Amino acid sequence: MATSNVWDAEWEVSEETASQLIYSQFPQLSSKRIQRLGHGWDNTVYIVGNEYVFRFPRRKVAVDLLKMEGSILPMLADHITIPYSKPLFFGESSNDYPSSFLGYTYLPGIFPIGLTDAQRSLSVTELGQFLKNLHAFPLQVALENGVPKDHRNLIDIASRKEKMLNFLSDLKAHIPYDDYIQIAEYLQQLNVERVHPKDVFLHGDLHFKNMLVNEAGQISGIIDWGDMNVGHPASDLNIAYSFFPPGVRDAFFKAYGEVDEETKMLARLIAVYIPMLILLQAISDKDYKIAEEAKANIKRALAD
């Protein structure tokens, strides 16, 4: 694979720097221990005293996105019922770190990795209703607060298919041959160039690394809202295919509301696309647990 990846950091923040920034700007937290929790594409994350989570941008593109989160996220409280990360601490850049940063309430829970179909089914109605309410958030309010419009051009199927074929080439050595063939055949039969645009307010990056579940496997939180945008509902509805087994998808759509076949087609495509990217990063990071879950997401998305 290429030596430069889209998820590579442009800068990093060490635990020492994170501690200095947090303690100096928020002295009320100075008695609390700070530990690195991990990183995603855009942010490095630290947990503070098991009560708060701080996200520090690691790429330029994430800086304005984090500012948008600080503006929009407090407005969602009256619109959704699943717990989400609410910003409480608004940090500023310094000589040691080039970006503003945010501190949020800490949400307990774990990533939904290795769940049974029965465990996944526990959240069908809740997630369907969650997205129904989220997608009803006023578009004008979102746009006025800096939420971008379809910044990833998801309705361009032809372009996304081309990217996925390149991903598949990179993944060929890392997945079973039967899985490779299944993905290749799926992409081969995908003949739609574009879908009709639709505009709703989106989480924009809904997948298993941005969802939390409790010990029973039921959804308990939604995190990482940095990709909020106005665009096609299929972006979020991908979880009908990547997260849920085929037998409960009708129940999910019943809770969400009527969805046309074109939207379902795009949702399935994104349900394959996102785990392919997660798998590529997991391979690069040698994170085998995340890699196996990403593979499982792809197989589930392609199951009828």
Side-chain angles (χ1 to χ4, degrees), residues 186 234 237-238 241 249 263-273 300-304:
Y186 165 71
L237 293 174
N238 88 85
Y241 299 93
R249 287 172 187 159
T263 296
K264 290 180 179 179
M265 181 273 293
L266 180 56
R268 190 192 295 267
L269 176 66
I270 297 169
V272 177
Y273 175 82
R300 192 161 39 246
L302 294 177
D304 292 328

Side-chain angles (χ1 to χ4, degrees), residues 83-97:
Y84 69 96
S85 306
K86 298 179 177 67
L88 299 174
F89 303 98
F90 296 78
E92 300 295 335
S93 61
S94 72
N95 292 333
D96 298 318
Y97 182 70

Side-chain angles (χ1 to χ4, degrees), residues 117-261:
D117 285 354
Q119 288 175 310
R120 293 174 184 279
S121 300
L122 294 173
S123 303
V124 165
T125 300
E126 194 168 6
L127 278 168
Q129 189 66 52
F130 160 75
L131 287 181
K132 178 181 180 179
N133 294 338
L134 181 69
H135 291 177
F137 185 82
L139 294 185
Q140 191 60 35
V141 174
L143 295 171
E144 288 173 353
N145 283 273
V147 175
K149 187 171 180 179
D150 193 23
H151 62 302
R152 288 179 293 183
N153 195 22
L154 290 182
I155 64 173
D156 185 350
I157 302 295
S159 174
R160 197 151 303 275
K161 177 180 175 180
E162 183 178 353
K163 291 179 182 179
M164 293 170 74
L165 287 169
N166 290 331
F167 297 162
L168 185 59
S169 178
D170 288 338
L171 288 172
K172 187 173 184 179
H174 302 280
I175 60 177
Y177 180 73
D178 287 349
D179 292 354
Y180 171 83
I181 292 297
Q182 185 183 28
I183 298 170
E185 289 179 345
Y186 165 71
L187 293 174
Q188 182 67 30
Q189 59 81 39
L190 196 65
N191 296 317
V192 179
E193 294 287 321
R194 293 178 69 84
V195 299
H196 296 90
K198 294 184 177 183
D199 286 341
V200 299
F201 176 75
L202 301 165
H203 176 279
D205 195 26
L206 201 56
H207 55 73
F208 72 92
K209 289 184 68 179
N210 288 335
M211 302 164 68
L212 299 174
V213 295
N214 59 25
E215 292 181 357
Q218 188 164 11
I219 192 74
S220 63
I222 303 293
I223 61 174
D224 196 347
W225 293 74
D227 277 309
M228 285 183 289
N229 68 97
V230 171
H232 203 289
S235 175
D236 288 346
L237 293 174
N238 88 85
I239 63 168
Y241 299 93
S242 63
F243 185 78
F244 291 119
V248 299
R249 287 172 187 159
D250 285 348
F252 171 82
F253 287 121
K254 183 178 180 180
Y256 175 80
E258 185 176 352
V259 176
D260 60 66
E261 291 304 314

Side-chain angles (χ1 to χ4, degrees), residues 11-178:
W11 63 75
E12 275 292 7
V13 55
S14 67
E15 186 169 319
E16 180 182 3
T17 300
S19 298
Q20 190 277 327
L21 288 166
I22 294 170
Y23 291 154
S24 64
Q25 296 189 36
F26 308 106
Q28 67 270 39
L29 303 179
S30 59
S31 64
K32 300 184 183 298
R33 184 184 179 188
I34 294 176
Q35 293 179 284
R36 181 184 170 106
L37 195 60
H39 69 269
W41 281 30
D42 293 337
N43 299 281
T44 302
V45 184
Y46 286 88
I47 186 169
V48 179
N50 294 319
E51 298 170 69
Y52 309 107
V53 168
F54 277 75
R55 295 169 68 226
F56 294 85
R58 61 202 293 266
R59 301 196 300 158
K60 291 178 182 177
V61 69
V63 177
D64 287 341
L65 295 177
L66 205 71
K67 292 178 181 177
M68 175 187 67
E69 285 189 53
S71 176
I72 285 287
L73 287 179
M75 301 181 186
L76 298 183
D78 294 333
H79 292 266
I80 57 177
T81 54
I82 294 178
Y84 69 96
S85 306
K86 298 179 177 67
L88 299 174
F89 303 98
F90 296 78
E92 300 295 335
S93 61
S94 72
N95 292 333
D96 298 318
Y97 182 70
S99 171
S100 56
F101 57 96
L102 278 182
Y104 310 74
T105 50
Y106 172 72
L107 295 181
I110 57 175
F111 292 150
I113 294 176
L115 299 184
T116 65
D117 285 354
Q119 288 175 310
R120 293 174 184 279
S121 300
L122 294 173
S123 303
V124 165
T125 300
E126 194 168 6
L127 278 168
Q129 189 66 52
F130 160 75
L131 287 181
K132 178 181 180 179
N133 294 338
L134 181 69
H135 291 177
F137 185 82
L139 294 185
Q140 191 60 35
V141 174
L143 295 171
E144 288 173 353
N145 283 273
V147 175
K149 187 171 180 179
D150 193 23
H151 62 302
R152 288 179 293 183
N153 195 22
L154 290 182
I155 64 173
D156 185 350
I157 302 295
S159 174
R160 197 151 303 275
K161 177 180 175 180
E162 183 178 353
K163 291 179 182 179
M164 293 170 74
L165 287 169
N166 290 331
F167 297 162
L168 185 59
S169 178
D170 288 338
L171 288 172
K172 187 173 184 179
H174 302 280
I175 60 177
Y177 180 73
D178 287 349

